[in-house]
Structures are given as C-alpha cells and as structure tokens.
Amino acid sequence: MIVGIDLGTTNSLVSVWDENGPKLVPNALGSALTPSVVGLDDDGQVLVGEVARERLQTHPYLTAALFKRYMGSDHTISLGGRAFRPEELSALVLKSLKADVERAYGEPVTEAVISVPAYFSDAQRKATRIAGELAGLKVEKLINEPTAAALAYGLHMRQESSFLVFDLGGGTFDVSILELFDGVMEVRASAGDNFLGGEDFDDALVQAFVTLKRGEAGFPEATAPAIRQRLRREAQRVRHALGNVNNAVFTLRADEGEWTHTFSADDLAACTAGLLERLRQPIERALRDARIRAADLDEILLVGGSTRMPLIRRLATTLFGRFPSTQLNPDEVVACGAAIQAALKARHAALEEVVLTDVCPYSLGVETSMEIGPRIESGHFLPIIERNSVVPISKVQQLQTLHDNQREVALKIYQGESRMVKDNIFLGDLNVPVPARKAGEVTLDVRFTYDNNGLLEAQVSLPLTGETYKKVIENNPGVLTQEQIAERLKSLESLKVHPRDQQVNSLLLARLERLYQEHLGELRQYYGQLAAQLQHVLETQDERQIREVRSHISARLAELDTTH
C-alpha cells in the first residue's frame, strides 16, 4: 500500500486514495493532525503526537519539537540522556502515521510519497528520504509542497493557467509559481525561507511580552526550558485568538506569580513587521525568476496553517491585488495532494495521468579563481546549473588550467547563491589529473547533471586526452551514510513505543499535569486532585471505571476552559 504524507514542522498528516478521492487517516485520538513532537515517557517508551506535545512544558528534557528545521545537518537533540538526529525523530513520527494507516486498513504500508518544502536543499531532501527508510518506508517520491497543493486544488485538470502557491507552515515558507500547459504542470520558479513560519510569529509575541514584563518583580527567567515552553504555548493561543477577535490577553503563571498583557491585532502586526518583510523578498525573487508579473497570475493559493492569520491574508491581498483562494483547509491540502501523487504513482484508474516538472531550488557550481589586476584571487563561485532550472537538466561549462605545468585540478562543488564559495554549501570535490602544459592550454568541460530525485552527477572531460572523470554527489555534509543508517535503524528498533490504546488516558493525564503547573491556588489543587483521581482509576485497569472517570474529568475541563 502506498500513502501520501505531509511531514510538517508543527503537524504531520497521512492520506490515502480511495474511490472518492484523497482521504485523511485519523490517528489514535481521532484527529487528522498529529503534532510533530516526540518524547519519552517515565518508562522510556516513545510518545508521538499530542501526548508528547502536552509534555513539552512539564518534561522539556524528555520531549522534542521543531526538529524538522535541523534536517540535513549534524544537529542532535538529547532526550533522557540519549542523542537523536532529526532524521530519527522524523522517522518516529512517520512510523506513527504508518501504524495509523495499517490499523485503519488492515494491510501493510510499504511505500510513501512525502512532501518537502520546495526550498529544501539537497541535503535536507536526502535526510527526509533517510527518515522514511528508518521508518520502514520506501520513499517513492518527494513532492514539493506547493506542487502537492496545486494537485489538491485540481489545477492539473484545467487546460491552461498560471498560479502562485503561498505556503506558510509552522516552520518554513515557500513560494512557487506553476504553469499548466498541454497537460504538463511545470514549476517556473521556487523561493522561500527554511527558517520562517508560524513558530517565528509566536517567538515574536513571546519577545514582545518578555520585553514588557522583564523588569517586574519576580518575573521568571524566560530562557528556562519549562518557562520557555509555557510562553510559546500561550503565544500560539494568543496568535490564534487574534484571528477572531481584536484583543487577547497573554497570561504567564509561574513561581506563585501571574503576569498579563493585552495584545491587539495591531500589536501583533507591529511586533512581526520584520517577519512580514521577510515574506515579501522570496515572492519578489520568484516573480523575477519566472519572468512573470503578479497581475498575469490566474490564481493565488494560500497553503499552510499559518496563512489563517488575518495579517497574512491582508499581506497576500495587498501584494497580488486580489483575494487569494482559500476553499480548502490549509492544514490538509498538502497531504491530500501527496495522496493524489501516490495514486498517480500507483496508476490508479480514477486518475488521468499528469506530467509534473520541477526545478532545482538552488544554484549548483564550482569554485574558480579570477585575475584581479596583477593577482589571482580564488574562492569565486561559478554557477553551472542556476536556481529554478527545470529538472532533469544537464549543463556544461568550460574551464582551463591556471598555472604552468599544472598536473591536477581540484574541482570543488558548491550549492548556493553567494558570489564567494565561503558563503555557499560545500557538496564534494573531484580531483582530475591533467597533462603538464602552459597555463590555459588545457581545457576542461565540466558537466553537471541533476535529476528529479535531487541526484547530482559531476563529469569532467579533457578534450586534449579524451579522458573522462565522474562523481555522483550522494553524501552531503550532515547526511548519514548507508552504514550509519543501518546502525541507526537497529538503534530505533530497540525503542519501545507507548501503547496506542493508552493514548487517550495518557493525553488526559499529561494535560492535567500541565494545567497543574500553569495555575495557582485552589484551581491548581483542583487539577492535582483530578490527576490523582485519574491515576488511581488507571491502576485498577477496569475499563468501565476508566471510561466513566475520563468522561467526567473531560467534561469538568471543558467547563473550566470557558470560565478561565
């Protein structure tokens, strides 16, 4: 069975294709959204999703979130004294989604189409594939999130159109311009920011609140993990509330104290002005690269949960001079598109074949030296494949030797947009022996070939001798080797996963523990009593009693939510 997965920074979803179209598969708690949060419980068992997110505040050293931002790097996150790479934590989320589908449909899930931000680098894409492998999935295809969104909107069924996808999720921002012509959906240009999303708007609110309150007596240290999580959770609540009302109260309760401040929608716009400006720049770059004016676009699609913010919708309307399309749930649209792509891969009879083309999101090139006056300066970047070139692509540049009697050329390969290679990402090198001649007499034809799977092949040909040298760039800095993958796979298999059928109870208990920490006085004691009551009935293992107590406590929490 093949599935479509939206592996998000904040939330992840899994979908399948049935006779009625793409269908989201709910998790053990009945929700289509599974928070991309992983933790360990008190027994060392793995928690994934809502239960783990509830423990971010109460057990910060045993819980991890936002790890997608570190994909493709050597960054590690410590949970309970054990170091996890971003691929491993992502694999645990993928495993949880895989298990949800297998329980719902009663058959094994072996393949997946996984969405990635269009602006993900080569290393980040490879890391995502590895995460799938660690989760026991063959990653049939990585689909760019904007392309998946276009499929979900059914734009591939039209005759001709050009449209822009504005995709602002929890942790990343993508903008892609796509064009449909004669049954081919072509990505004309992609741009974005891998470190800009709804989480950054929350951080801006947190910073504004801390700046206002820092000088007040007893205000806690905002960098303490538990306080930081409490502030972020409250900032997210306030940001969501300001989508419906003009004012919302930001409240921090800690260390027997309480601090509040009322934020207005205008306050949110003011403290996030720098982030809004960062959204403009990729849009302008994509329009330039695609050589298209905003007025010539047929449609603007808003994708990603963070586009629900009124200030984002106002920005999009102002930039493009029209109201964007928002018919589909922005949280779910990418997962639905991934399911359509999965069905296309499976050659589902209900779908007409559509040809999708993509682009290389970054420029790929080599280091060269330049004569500047009387001296030769190294470290310059020479692009061979420029960003937003349609893939697959093969391009060649001719270089020549620099010194008399030079016997070797060290070809260093980079990815990026900066003029100097020191500001770009080093991908690998290829040492090419050359015949000793005067400077400039030996030429080298350097050919780069880049395919749909993000695989780069460098080939150097010497016309003087007819010799050819090749190298496939497979292992980027920060990407696991096959030996390391096997080792990590064995390590992950030794982890025990928290029982699925206990998730409802575990979530309620984690929520009560968080509420106990957040509140003071009589209300705090009441939450403590409810937690103790639940803990006691869980120890009886009497399912009828557990259901009754759980129902009673959930009803009381719902009542308290409306009054506090």
Side-chain angles (χ1 to χ4, degrees), residues 351-363:
L351 278 172
E352 291 182 21
E353 184 59 58
V354 58
V355 178
L356 301 176
T357 72
D358 234 318
V359 294
C360 178
Y362 293 91
S363 296

Side-chain angles (χ1 to χ4, degrees), residues 517-546:
Q517 283 196 9
E518 286 181 355
H519 291 80
L520 303 169
E522 290 182 6
L523 193 56
R524 184 181 203 183
Q525 296 307 314
Y526 182 63
Y527 285 130
Q529 290 168 9
L530 291 178
Q533 183 182 358
L534 179 59
Q535 187 73 60
H536 173 72
V537 76
L538 289 176
E539 289 170 1
T540 68
Q541 299 184 31
D542 184 321
E543 284 299 322
R544 185 186 59 78
Q545 283 191 56
I546 291 171

Side-chain angles (χ1 to χ4, degrees), residues 295-306:
D296 296 331
L297 294 165
D298 295 312
E299 198 161 3
I300 312 298
L301 308 183
L302 291 190
V303 178
S306 298

Side-chain angles (χ1 to χ4, degrees), residues 119-172:
Y119 213 53
F120 248 23
S121 68
D122 191 43
Q124 290 167 312
R125 289 167 191 268
K126 286 191 172 86
T128 304
R129 283 187 174 277
I130 290 169
E133 190 175 336
L134 292 173
L137 292 167
K138 178 190 176 188
V139 182
E140 183 62 41
K141 182 179 176 63
L142 295 179
I143 184 171
N144 284 344
E145 290 169 3
T147 307
L151 288 175
Y153 266 94
L155 300 186
H156 58 294
M157 305 300 289
R158 300 182 182 181
Q159 293 301 311
E160 282 184 34
S161 64
S162 59
F163 43 94
L164 181 144
V165 181
F166 183 111
D167 183 357
L168 183 65
T172 58

Side-chain angles (χ1 to χ4, degrees), residues 94 220 314:
L94 292 172
R314 281 197 300 271

